[in-house]
Coordinates of all heavy atoms in Angstrom, one line a residue:
Chain B
T1262 N 10.5 -12.5 -29.7 CA 11.8 -12.5 -29.3 C 12.3 -11.2 -28.7 O 13.5 -11.0 -28.5 CB 12.8 -12.9 -30.4 OG1 12.7 -11.9 -31.4 CG2 12.4 -14.2 -31.1
T1263 N 11.4 -10.3 -28.5 CA 11.9 -9.0 -27.8 C 11.1 -8.9 -26.5 O 9.9 -9.1 -26.4 CB 11.6 -7.8 -28.6 OG1 10.4 -7.9 -29.3 CG2 12.7 -7.5 -29.6
S1264 N 11.9 -8.5 -25.5 CA 11.3 -8.4 -24.1 C 10.3 -7.3 -24.1 O 10.2 -6.4 -24.9 CB 12.4 -8.1 -23.2 OG 12.9 -6.8 -23.4
R1265 N 9.4 -7.4 -23.1 CA 8.4 -6.4 -22.8 C 9.1 -5.0 -22.8 O 8.6 -4.1 -23.4 CB 7.7 -6.6 -21.5 CG 6.8 -7.7 -21.5 CD 5.4 -7.3 -22.0 NE 4.5 -8.4 -21.8 CZ 4.5 -9.5 -22.4 NH1 5.4 -9.7 -23.4 NH2 3.6 -10.5 -22.2
A1266 N 10.2 -4.9 -22.1 CA 10.8 -3.6 -21.9 C 11.2 -3.0 -23.3 O 11.0 -1.8 -23.6 CB 12.1 -3.7 -21.1
K1267 N 11.7 -3.8 -24.2 CA 12.0 -3.4 -25.5 C 10.8 -2.9 -26.3 O 10.8 -1.9 -27.0 CB 12.8 -4.5 -26.3 CG 13.5 -4.0 -27.5 CD 14.8 -3.3 -27.1 CE 15.5 -2.7 -28.4 NZ 16.6 -1.8 -28.0
H1268 N 9.8 -3.7 -26.1 CA 8.5 -3.4 -26.8 C 8.0 -2.0 -26.3 O 7.6 -1.2 -27.2 CB 7.4 -4.4 -26.4 CG 7.3 -5.5 -27.4 ND1 6.9 -5.3 -28.7 CD2 7.6 -6.8 -27.3 CE1 6.9 -6.5 -29.3 NE2 7.3 -7.4 -28.5
V1269 N 8.1 -1.8 -25.1 CA 7.6 -0.5 -24.5 C 8.5 0.6 -25.2 O 7.9 1.6 -25.6 CB 7.8 -0.5 -23.0 CG1 7.6 0.9 -22.5 CG2 6.8 -1.4 -22.3
E1270 N 9.7 0.4 -25.2 CA 10.6 1.4 -25.8 C 10.2 1.7 -27.2 O 10.0 2.9 -27.6 CB 12.1 0.9 -25.8 CG 13.0 1.8 -26.5 CD 14.4 1.2 -26.6 OE1 14.9 0.8 -25.5 OE2 15.0 1.2 -27.7
Q1271 N 10.0 0.6 -28.0 CA 9.7 0.9 -29.4 C 8.3 1.6 -29.6 O 8.2 2.5 -30.3 CB 9.7 -0.5 -30.1 CG 11.1 -1.0 -30.3 CD 11.1 -2.5 -30.7 OE1 10.1 -3.2 -30.6 NE2 12.2 -3.0 -31.2
Q1272 N 7.4 1.1 -28.8 CA 6.1 1.7 -28.9 C 6.0 3.2 -28.5 O 5.4 4.0 -29.0 CB 5.0 0.9 -28.2 CG 4.9 -0.5 -28.8 CD 3.6 -1.1 -28.3 OE1 3.6 -1.9 -27.3 NE2 2.5 -0.8 -29.0
F1273 N 6.8 3.4 -27.4 CA 6.8 4.7 -26.9 C 7.5 5.7 -27.9 O 7.0 6.8 -28.2 CB 7.6 4.8 -25.6 CG 7.6 6.2 -25.0 CD1 6.6 6.7 -24.2 CD2 8.7 7.1 -25.3 CE1 6.6 8.0 -23.7 CE2 8.7 8.4 -24.9 CZ 7.7 8.8 -24.1
M1274 N 8.6 5.2 -28.5 CA 9.3 6.1 -29.5 C 8.4 6.4 -30.7 O 8.4 7.5 -31.2 CB 10.6 5.4 -29.9 CG 11.6 5.4 -28.8 SD 12.0 6.9 -28.0 CE 13.0 7.8 -29.1
E1275 N 7.6 5.3 -31.1 CA 6.7 5.5 -32.2 C 5.7 6.6 -31.8 O 5.4 7.5 -32.5 CB 6.1 4.2 -32.5 CG 5.0 4.4 -33.6 CD 4.5 3.1 -34.2 OE1 5.2 2.1 -34.1 OE2 3.4 3.1 -34.7
W1276 N 5.1 6.4 -30.6 CA 4.1 7.3 -30.1 C 4.6 8.7 -30.1 O 4.0 9.7 -30.5 CB 3.7 6.8 -28.7 CG 2.8 7.7 -27.9 CD1 1.4 7.7 -28.0 CD2 3.2 8.7 -27.0 NE1 0.9 8.6 -27.1 CE2 2.0 9.3 -26.5 CE3 4.4 9.2 -26.5 CZ2 1.9 10.3 -25.5 CZ3 4.4 10.2 -25.5 CH2 3.2 10.8 -25.1
M1277 N 5.9 8.9 -29.6 CA 6.5 10.2 -29.5 C 6.8 10.8 -30.9 O 6.5 12.0 -31.1 CB 7.7 10.1 -28.7 CG 8.4 11.4 -28.4 SD 9.9 11.3 -27.4 CE 11.1 11.2 -28.7
L1278 N 7.4 10.0 -31.7 CA 7.9 10.6 -32.9 C 6.8 10.7 -34.0 O 7.0 11.3 -35.1 CB 9.1 9.8 -33.5 CG 10.3 9.9 -32.6 CD1 11.4 9.0 -33.0 CD2 10.9 11.4 -32.6
R1279 N 5.7 10.0 -33.8 CA 4.7 10.1 -34.8 C 4.2 11.5 -35.0 O 3.7 11.9 -36.1 CB 3.5 9.2 -34.3 CG 2.4 9.0 -35.4 CD 1.2 8.4 -34.8 NE 1.3 7.0 -34.3 CZ 1.5 6.0 -35.2 NH1 1.6 6.3 -36.5 NH2 1.6 4.8 -34.7
G1280 N 4.5 12.3 -34.0 CA 4.3 13.8 -34.2 C 3.0 14.3 -33.7 O 2.8 15.5 -33.7
D1281 N 2.1 13.5 -33.3 CA 0.9 14.0 -32.8 C 0.9 14.3 -31.3 O -0.1 14.5 -30.6 CB -0.3 13.1 -33.2 CG -0.1 11.7 -32.7 OD1 1.0 11.4 -32.2 OD2 -1.0 10.9 -32.9
T1282 N 2.1 14.2 -30.8 CA 2.3 14.5 -29.3 C 2.9 15.9 -29.1 O 4.1 16.1 -29.4 CB 3.2 13.4 -28.7 OG1 2.8 12.1 -29.2 CG2 3.1 13.5 -27.2
R1283 N 2.1 16.8 -28.7 CA 2.6 18.2 -28.6 C 3.4 18.3 -27.3 O 3.2 17.7 -26.3 CB 1.3 19.1 -28.4 CG 0.4 19.1 -29.5 CD 0.9 20.1 -30.6 NE 1.2 19.4 -31.8 CZ 2.0 19.9 -32.8 NH1 2.5 21.1 -32.7 NH2 2.2 19.2 -33.9
P1284 N 4.4 19.2 -27.4 CA 5.2 19.6 -26.2 C 4.2 20.1 -25.1 O 3.2 20.7 -25.4 CB 6.0 20.8 -26.7 CG 6.1 20.6 -28.1 CD 4.9 19.9 -28.6
G1285 N 4.4 19.7 -23.9 CA 3.6 20.1 -22.8 C 2.5 19.1 -22.5 O 1.8 19.2 -21.5
T1286 N 2.3 18.1 -23.3 CA 1.4 17.0 -23.0 C 1.8 16.3 -21.8 O 3.0 16.1 -21.5 CB 1.5 15.9 -24.2 OG1 1.3 16.6 -25.4 CG2 0.4 14.9 -24.0
S1287 N 0.8 15.9 -21.0 CA 1.3 15.1 -19.8 C 1.0 13.6 -20.1 O 0.1 13.3 -20.8 CB 0.6 15.6 -18.5 OG -0.8 15.3 -18.6
I1288 N 1.9 12.8 -19.6 CA 1.9 11.4 -19.9 C 1.3 10.6 -18.8 O 1.6 10.9 -17.6 CB 3.3 10.9 -20.1 CG1 3.9 11.6 -21.4 CG2 3.4 9.4 -20.2 CD1 5.3 11.3 -21.7
N1289 N 0.4 9.8 -19.1 CA -0.3 9.0 -18.1 C 0.1 7.5 -18.1 O 0.0 6.8 -19.1 CB -1.8 9.1 -18.5 CG -2.7 8.4 -17.6 OD1 -2.4 7.3 -17.2 ND2 -3.7 9.1 -17.2
E1290 N 0.7 7.1 -17.0 CA 1.3 5.8 -17.0 C 0.2 4.7 -17.3 O 0.5 3.8 -18.1 CB 1.9 5.5 -15.6 CG 3.1 6.3 -15.3 CD 3.7 6.1 -13.9 OE1 3.1 5.2 -13.2 OE2 4.6 6.8 -13.5
L1291 N -0.9 4.9 -16.7 CA -1.9 3.9 -16.8 C -2.4 3.8 -18.2 O -2.6 2.7 -18.8 CB -3.1 4.3 -15.9 CG -4.1 3.2 -15.6 CD1 -3.5 2.0 -15.0 CD2 -5.2 3.7 -14.6
E1292 N -2.6 4.9 -18.9 CA -3.1 4.9 -20.2 C -2.1 4.2 -21.2 O -2.5 3.4 -22.0 CB -3.4 6.3 -20.7 CG -4.2 6.5 -21.9 CD -4.2 7.9 -22.4 OE1 -4.6 8.8 -21.5 OE2 -4.0 8.2 -23.6
L1293 N -0.8 4.6 -21.0 CA 0.2 4.0 -21.9 C 0.3 2.5 -21.6 O 0.4 1.7 -22.5 CB 1.6 4.6 -21.6 CG 1.8 6.0 -22.2 CD1 3.3 6.4 -22.0 CD2 1.6 6.0 -23.7
A1294 N 0.1 2.1 -20.3 CA 0.2 0.7 -20.0 C -0.9 0.0 -20.8 O -0.7 -1.1 -21.4 CB 0.1 0.5 -18.5
R1295 N -2.1 0.5 -20.7 CA -3.2 -0.1 -21.4 C -2.9 -0.2 -22.9 O -3.1 -1.2 -23.6 CB -4.5 0.6 -21.2 CG -5.1 0.3 -19.8 CD -6.5 0.7 -19.6 NE -6.6 2.1 -19.4 CZ -7.0 2.7 -18.2 NH1 -7.3 1.9 -17.2 NH2 -7.0 4.0 -18.1
Q1296 N -2.5 1.0 -23.4 CA -2.3 1.1 -24.9 C -1.2 0.1 -25.4 O -1.3 -0.5 -26.4 CB -1.8 2.5 -25.1 CG -2.0 3.0 -26.6 CD -1.7 4.5 -26.7 OE1 -2.0 5.3 -25.7 NE2 -1.0 4.9 -27.7
F1297 N -0.1 0.0 -24.6 CA 1.0 -0.9 -25.0 C 0.8 -2.3 -24.5 O 1.6 -3.2 -24.8 CB 2.3 -0.4 -24.4 CG 2.7 1.0 -24.9 CD1 3.8 1.7 -24.4 CD2 1.9 1.6 -25.9 CE1 4.1 2.9 -24.9 CE2 2.3 2.9 -26.4 CZ 3.4 3.6 -25.9
G1298 N -0.3 -2.6 -23.7 CA -0.5 -3.9 -23.2 C 0.5 -4.4 -22.2 O 0.9 -5.6 -22.3
V1299 N 1.0 -3.6 -21.3 CA 1.9 -4.0 -20.3 C 1.4 -3.5 -18.9 O 0.5 -2.7 -18.9 CB 3.3 -3.5 -20.5 CG1 3.9 -4.1 -21.8 CG2 3.4 -2.0 -20.5
A1300 N 2.0 -4.0 -17.9 CA 1.7 -3.5 -16.5 C 2.3 -2.1 -16.4 O 3.3 -1.7 -17.0 CB 2.2 -4.4 -15.5
T1301 N 1.7 -1.3 -15.5 CA 2.2 0.1 -15.3 C 3.7 0.2 -14.9 O 4.4 1.1 -15.3 CB 1.4 0.8 -14.3 OG1 1.3 0.1 -13.1 CG2 0.0 1.1 -14.7
N1302 N 4.0 -0.8 -14.1 CA 5.4 -0.9 -13.7 C 6.4 -0.8 -14.9 O 7.4 -0.1 -14.8 CB 5.6 -2.2 -13.0 CG 6.0 -2.0 -11.6 OD1 6.8 -1.2 -11.3 ND2 5.3 -2.7 -10.7
G1303 N 6.1 -1.5 -15.9 CA 7.0 -1.5 -17.1 C 7.1 -0.1 -17.7 O 8.2 0.4 -18.1
I1304 N 6.0 0.6 -17.8 CA 5.9 1.9 -18.3 C 6.8 2.8 -17.5 O 7.6 3.6 -18.0 CB 4.5 2.5 -18.4 CG1 3.6 1.6 -19.2 CG2 4.5 3.9 -18.8 CD1 3.9 1.7 -20.7

Side-chain angles (χ1 to χ4, degrees):
Chain B
T1262 65
T1263 37
S1264 66
R1265 286 275 186 292
K1267 195 78 188 168
H1268 267 293
V1269 168
E1270 174 185 310
Q1271 289 166 345
Q1272 294 198 264
F1273 181 87
M1274 293 308 283
E1275 177 171 334
W1276 174 86
M1277 185 179 93
L1278 293 172
R1279 191 192 289 292
D1281 51 358
T1282 316
R1283 299 276 116 200
T1286 308
S1287 67
I1288 292 174
N1289 184 312
E1290 294 178 3
L1291 195 56
E1292 192 186 314
L1293 283 186
R1295 282 193 283 248
Q1296 199 172 324
F1297 298 172
V1299 298
T1301 51
N1302 245 310
I1304 298 292

